[in-house]
Amino acid sequence: MKRLTILFSAVLVLLMWQPASAQKKKSRKTVPVPVTENIVLAENGMSRYRIVIPSSATYAEQKAANVLQNYLLQISGTALPIISADKPGSPYEIVLGQNERLDETSAGINLNELQADGFVIRTDSLRLIIAGGNKKGALYGVYTFLEKYLGCRMYSPDVKVIPKHEKIILGSINDKEIPIIKFRDIHYKVTWDPEYSEWHKLDHDQNGGRPAWGSWVHTFNSLVPPEIYFKDHPEYYALRNGKRIPTQLCLTNPEVLKITIQNLRKEIAANPEALYWSVSQNDNRNYCQCDKCQEINKREGSPSGSIMNFVNQVADQFPDQIISTLAYEYSRKAPATILPRKNVNIMLCSIELRRDRPIDVAKDSVSMSFVRDVKAWSKIAGDIIIWDYVIQFPNLVSPFPNLFVLQPNLRFFAENGVTAMFEQGNRDGGGEFAELRSYIISKLLWDPYTDIDTIMDDFLKGYYGAASGPIRQYIDEMQKALVSSDKPLRIFGSPNEAAVTYLTPELIEKYKRFFDEAESLVADSSAILERVKVARLPLDFAIMEQSKKNFTGDHGVFIKSGDQWVVRPEIRSVVDPFVDLCIRSGITKIKEWSTSPEAYRSAMYRLFYQGRNEHLAFGKKVRLISPDTTIIPSGKEQMLTDGIRGSHDPEYNWLDFSGKDLDVVIDLERKIQVQHIECAFYQRALWLSIAPVRVEFFVSDDGVKFDPVGSVVNTLPIDQYDAFQRDFIIDFAPREARFVRVVAHSIGNTPESHPGAGQAARIHIDEIIVE
């Protein structure tokens, strides 16, 4: 998409400082000073002003000058020169950075107070001062000046607002901003644009990387690689149920400590500029339960005990680096007595929490325990980063009304000693309100006490133009429905879970009317209309997802036409526009790690093609031999002959279980000629959904003696992240039979090479079709 610049014309614009909201707290201080003279920065393409940088300007200060010069030129048509502070002075100056000229002013700026990224924007007689901290303070000050005092906006990398002014006049300004949260990172691809990152004061590079971090997270395997050590030294790895498996490290083994230190030393030598280095658990729950590890964990009241004991020993070897470790899932609770070293960073994760209520307001046991954990860690650790989650991961393009809990949650973190935030959104591009959510979060990370309604309305008007009103109604109505339902909103939820809360059929009809109105209001602007249609994608996605769950009827995929089941026109008509717009707008995944838009299209058309097949086994009785009703509730086995097919997600119409083979018999009720049997299995191996290694098919006249008619061997690999549906089909010479038997052989427990090594694989099967 081409970069869009919106220009506004005005004969004269008087830009005066306005008092900040009383809501502002310690992260921002804006104090009015007496007006002496107005500053005329530019008039009719002319200016007496020049931009003055320190004589030994840093890269950030030089860049700040270039940015200011460039935007002033675009706004007013006036090119201000950039000079060094060692050149002769003038009353008409914009003084940037930690500048020698500050000694000549009466500004009295305490540069040490600004730390790394804080800044002061101040008028002093005829001078404008933008002084900043020793990292990017001056650059951040320039972008704030452009936005707050000159009306510029950057809503996304492709949508800017740059007002056009023939005359720029400034009144008195005295604005100081020092962020509470020192490290600010948003994991949305839209934020990776270099200028977007700097405009919105984020700490990552153009690829979403973090230059200050040599390694980020889940590093046990990279520090002690199982492919190198496990075969000869299984004792280096976790003991689970009496067996060593390479899921986590054995943290009380002295050789593991030695190898970790050696390999980390090599990594640091290869990247000496990085300050933070992760020594952290892998992304699974199978931590070591050997006697020595258990002894520490029992004493400390948490598996974080053995982790902290280990990480402290690593940190002792690297006093000039900061060693980061996770407090995540099983290790989230702080240890009772072991204190982190001063150079240890705690990365505390909020993955389990509901997102419909602020963390410190929700009264469920998980939220309350998380609040206790945050407070406990804040008492013993001086360096805490919160890894937060702001999107629905199984359904990246799904309505997810969490916008109104973002601010109270960030305030809670800031008020409990958190100085760094990582907000995990969508790494794959796009997602529900990706631009809006990124914009709001970036503003809150800088100042958790800003006015979020003002921020949201400003974005909606700037990004969606005349459509902003109905889109705001859509957001508010969905939030209202969620809160009134008193049901949890979870990052691993789905549109079907929301069918009784904020995505009921009645509400969906209302949401459709909001978007119909929004589209009509911007019909004459192709660019804005496209953005509105992108905002509508989650609603279309929810409609399609719910139709697969309902399967038939007014809200299903299929409706009856005479004696035939046909695809409902509303569903068929939405698939291609949905997928095409996803591709056009840069959405690369529908689900985390899997399902591209084209794969989603294929899954939908596969479902259309399969239809509701009233085959020979349709509606017939199913008898489970394995697994038994202790694993699968009685009656659920009838899913295998109900005519409803599974789709790209295990949530939809799949019979699933773990740790057992499938052995099932279908009674066709009478002897009938059969020649074809098929069934489908779902695989998403990283999440332990693994198709059987082999499926055998049998037929019988009496239900006692079964004759084999064929088998299929699975060739799907289990080392891929994507999701697959695989049909297991056999055709054979026609013969009469009353009973059909299908036996699917599970892989059992996952192999040592799998991230979930040693865990029972799950089988997902949908319809067994007999013809």
Side-chain angles (χ1 to χ4, degrees):
M1 186 184 293
K2 294 182 179 178
R3 183 177 296 274
L4 179 65
T5 302
I6 304 173
L7 300 177
F8 293 99
S9 297
V11 175
L12 176 64
V13 176
L14 181 62
L15 296 164
M16 299 292 290
W17 172 84
Q18 296 293 328
S21 166
Q23 190 181 27
K24 305 291 184 190
K25 297 219 177 168
K26 59 182 177 180
S27 65
R28 181 175 296 191
K29 184 177 180 182
T30 308
V31 181
V33 295
V35 178
T36 52
E37 300 182 55
N38 287 334
I39 294 176
V40 182
L41 278 185
E43 185 172 12
N44 299 321
M46 304 289 289
S47 178
R48 290 179 289 183
Y49 279 81
R50 59 257 188 99
I51 300 168
V52 182
I53 59 175
S55 55
S56 299
T58 66
Y59 173 79
E61 289 169 331
Q62 180 65 62
K63 187 169 187 177
N66 293 337
V67 167
L68 182 60
Q69 180 189 55
N70 174 50
Y71 278 98
L72 289 175
L73 178 62
Q74 292 185 64
I75 292 167
S76 67
T78 306
L80 272 63
I82 299 172
I83 69 166
S84 173
D86 55 9
K87 299 297 190 290
S90 160
Y92 304 103
E93 293 180 339
I94 302 175
V95 179
L96 279 189
Q98 300 196 356
N99 201 304
E100 300 96 305
R101 288 277 206 275
L102 294 176
D103 294 335
E104 303 172 12
T105 71
S106 59
I109 295 171
N110 181 353
L111 294 175
N112 291 330
E113 182 186 19
L114 303 180
Q115 302 172 35
D117 294 335
F119 56 81
V120 168
I121 306 172
R122 186 171 296 172
T123 52
D124 183 74
S125 186
L126 291 173
R127 281 186 170 127
L128 172 65
I129 299 168
I130 306 177
N134 56 27
K135 188 181 176 185
K136 290 189 175 182
L139 182 59
Y140 292 164
V142 164
Y143 278 122
T144 295
F145 173 73
L146 293 171
E147 184 168 304
K148 188 172 180 180
Y149 299 100
L150 299 189
C152 297
R153 295 291 187 273
M154 189 176 197
Y155 294 118
S156 77
D158 302 309
V159 182
K160 280 185 183 180
V161 174
I162 305 175
K164 189 75 171 178
H165 300 315
E166 292 181 4
K167 188 172 185 178
I168 301 175
I169 303 177
L170 302 178
S172 59
I173 301 172
N174 189 16
D175 195 347
K176 178 168 66 176
E177 301 186 12
I178 304 169
I180 299 171
I181 298 170
K182 310 304 180 187
F183 175 84
R184 302 164 298 277
D185 192 1
I186 303 174
H187 203 52
Y188 265 111
K189 205 166 187 177
V190 67
T191 71
W192 297 357
D193 175 83
E195 186 177 25
Y196 187 99
S197 293
E198 292 180 334
W199 188 304
H200 296 286
K201 308 171 182 65
L202 302 174
D203 291 293
H204 56 229
D205 62 23
Q206 62 186 4
N207 298 312
R210 304 152 200 91
W213 290 74
S215 54
W216 180 236
V217 74
H218 300 315
T219 58
F220 278 179
N221 272 3
S222 62
L223 291 167
V224 187
E227 62 271 20
I228 296 176
Y229 296 103
F230 181 71
K231 182 178 179 181
D232 295 328
H233 295 284
E235 70 275 10
Y236 291 175
Y237 299 91
L239 181 69
R240 300 288 297 188
N241 300 317
K243 183 180 179 181
R244 294 284 180 175
I245 54 175
T247 51
Q248 304 286 355
L249 298 178
C250 177
L251 298 175
T252 53
N253 187 311
E255 290 301 311
V256 170
L257 178 63
K258 183 186 300 184
I259 294 168
T260 297
I261 292 170
Q262 289 173 347
N263 287 334
L264 182 57
R265 199 177 303 281
K266 292 176 184 177
E267 292 182 13
I268 292 173
N271 185 11
E273 298 301 315
L275 177 62
Y276 286 83
W277 293 89
S278 178
V279 178
S280 60
Q281 68 202 58
N282 298 324
D283 198 2
N284 64 72
R285 300 179 180 91
N286 294 322
Y287 58 91
C288 186
Q289 295 180 332
C290 74
D291 290 343
K292 290 183 178 180
C293 288
Q294 285 289 74
E295 180 184 358
I296 297 174
N297 294 340
K298 184 176 181 180
R299 184 184 71 230
E300 297 298 323
S302 169
S304 64
S306 56
I307 293 175
M308 195 53 54
N309 179 67
F310 181 83
V311 168
N312 277 345
Q313 293 178 79
V314 175
D316 289 341
Q317 298 298 311
F318 302 98
D320 296 327
Q321 278 75 38
I322 297 175
I323 306 302
S324 176
T325 197
L326 282 165
Y328 173 57
E329 293 189 327
Y330 67 82
S331 64
R332 201 189 71 196
K333 183 181 178 183
T337 65
I338 300 177
L339 304 181
R341 297 288 194 267
K342 289 185 178 180
N343 64 324
V344 168
N345 163 265
I346 303 301
M347 185 176 282
L348 179 57
C349 305
S350 66
I351 194 168
E352 305 91 345
L353 301 183
R354 56 193 293 175
R355 311 288 156 166
D356 55 296
R357 293 281 192 276
I359 294 168
D360 58 342
V361 171
K363 298 304 180 185
D364 61 291
S365 60
V366 175
S367 297
M368 291 191 291
S369 68
F370 183 79
V371 168
R372 288 194 297 271
D373 291 342
V374 171
K375 292 179 181 294
W377 280 111
S378 68
K379 290 178 181 178
I380 65 173
D383 187 352
I384 301 174
I385 180 172
I386 294 290
W387 183 312
D388 197 19
Y389 307 81
V390 296
I391 198 169
Q392 193 170 84
F393 292 99
N395 302 285
L396 299 173
V397 190
S398 180
F400 191 65
N402 70 329
L403 294 173
F404 294 92
V405 302
L406 297 173
Q407 182 170 50
N409 286 351
L410 280 168
R411 286 183 180 178
F412 167 76
F413 292 136
E415 290 165 5
N416 283 277
V418 173
T419 57
M421 290 293 307
F422 173 73
E423 299 283 8
Q424 185 177 356
N426 184 11
R427 63 182 292 277
D428 291 306
E432 190 232 15
F433 283 131
E435 293 81 7
L436 171 62
R437 194 173 270 105
S438 297
Y439 191 83
I440 289 174
I441 293 172
S442 69
K443 299 300 184 186
L444 291 173
L445 287 176
W446 183 256
D447 179 9
Y449 300 93
T450 193
D451 186 335
I452 189 172
D453 281 316
T454 299
I455 297 296
M456 185 184 298
D457 287 341
D458 177 78
F459 178 93
L460 294 177
K461 289 173 184 175
Y463 196 76
Y464 296 113
S468 63
I471 291 179
R472 179 67 197 248
Q473 286 180 284
Y474 166 75
I475 292 169
D476 290 343
E477 189 71 26
M478 187 173 290
Q479 173 70 16
K480 177 183 173 183
L482 172 65
V483 172
S484 64
S485 74
D486 201 30
K487 300 293 184 183
L489 177 69
R490 303 190 190 282
I491 63 173
F492 295 108
S494 73
N496 285 296
E497 185 178 282
V500 295
T501 57
Y502 60 91
L503 289 174
T504 65
E506 296 77 17
L507 284 170
I508 284 177
E509 290 304 312
K510 182 181 285 190
Y511 301 154
K512 287 163 66 175
R513 291 193 293 272
F514 287 145
F515 273 108
D516 289 344
E517 181 186 359
E519 290 180 15
S520 69
L521 289 170
V522 294
D524 59 345
S525 172
S526 59
I528 298 179
L529 179 60
E530 183 89 341
R531 289 179 223 145
V532 172
K533 289 182 176 180
V534 170
R536 188 173 189 153
L537 286 174
L539 182 59
D540 290 337
F541 177 78
I543 291 169
M544 289 187 288
E545 293 298 283
Q546 290 187 359
S547 75
K548 288 184 286 186
K549 187 72 171 179
N550 297 321
F551 208 72
T552 60
D554 291 342
H555 302 292
V557 177
F558 300 100
I559 56 173
K560 205 69 176 284
S561 177
D563 60 352
Q564 298 292 317
W565 288 102
V566 298
V567 179
R568 190 158 61 95
E570 181 185 359
I571 298 303
R572 185 182 291 278
S573 66
V574 79
V575 174
D576 286 328
F578 172 83
V579 171
D580 293 343
L581 183 53
C582 282
I583 294 169
R584 198 161 66 241
S585 62
I587 295 172
T588 57
K589 296 291 183 185
I590 305 299
K591 297 177 172 296
E592 187 187 28
W593 301 108
S594 72
T595 313
S596 68
E598 282 294 0
Y600 188 83
R601 189 198 321 255
S602 296
M604 291 299 294
Y605 272 90
R606 169 190 167 93
L607 189 62
F608 296 165
Y609 172 77
Q610 290 172 330
R612 179 158 190 175
N613 184 355
E614 296 184 2
H615 50 90
L616 297 179
F618 175 72
K620 299 302 188 290
K621 185 177 179 180
V622 177
R623 178 168 61 91
L624 279 176
I625 299 172
S626 174
D628 59 32
T629 54
T630 61
I631 295 177
I632 296 180
S634 179
K636 195 173 181 181
E637 70 276 4
Q638 291 305 131
M639 290 177 66
L640 298 179
T641 59
D642 62 4
I644 300 176
R645 304 304 299 266
S647 187
H648 73 292
D649 190 305
E651 178 181 356
Y652 303 118
N653 311 315
W654 297 94
L655 181 70
D656 69 290
F657 54 91
S658 65
K660 300 287 184 179
D661 293 340
L662 173 74
D663 191 348
V664 61
V665 175
I666 300 171
D667 183 355
L668 302 178
E669 298 178 351
R670 62 187 177 90
K671 289 181 66 173
I672 192 169
Q673 184 171 285
V674 297
Q675 59 185 359
H676 172 98
I677 308 172
E678 69 174 87
C679 53
F681 293 87
Y682 174 87
Q683 177 165 304
R684 198 177 182 200
L686 188 65
W687 279 260
L688 301 177
S689 298
I690 300 175
V693 294
R694 186 176 78 261
V695 181
E696 298 175 305
F697 300 90
F698 306 84
V699 297
S700 170
D701 293 335
D702 58 8
V704 177
K705 181 179 181 297
F706 285 87
D707 299 325
V709 290
S711 65
V712 179
V713 175
N714 180 22
T715 57
L716 280 173
I718 66 168
D719 59 353
Q720 297 184 16
Y721 287 168
D722 219 331
F724 303 91
Q725 298 172 74
R726 178 58 54 90
D727 295 315
F728 289 65
I729 302 172
I730 59 157
D731 292 290
F732 50 93
R735 58 175 293 175
E736 287 197 340
R738 174 172 173 173
F739 298 92
V740 171
R741 184 178 183 182
V742 177
V743 179
H745 298 274
S746 170
I747 193 174
N749 290 345
T750 50
E752 294 168 350
S753 58
H754 191 275
Q759 296 186 69
R762 298 192 71 81
I763 283 181
H764 290 79
I765 179 173
D766 70 350
E767 193 81 354
I768 297 176
I769 294 174
V770 181
E771 295 176 341

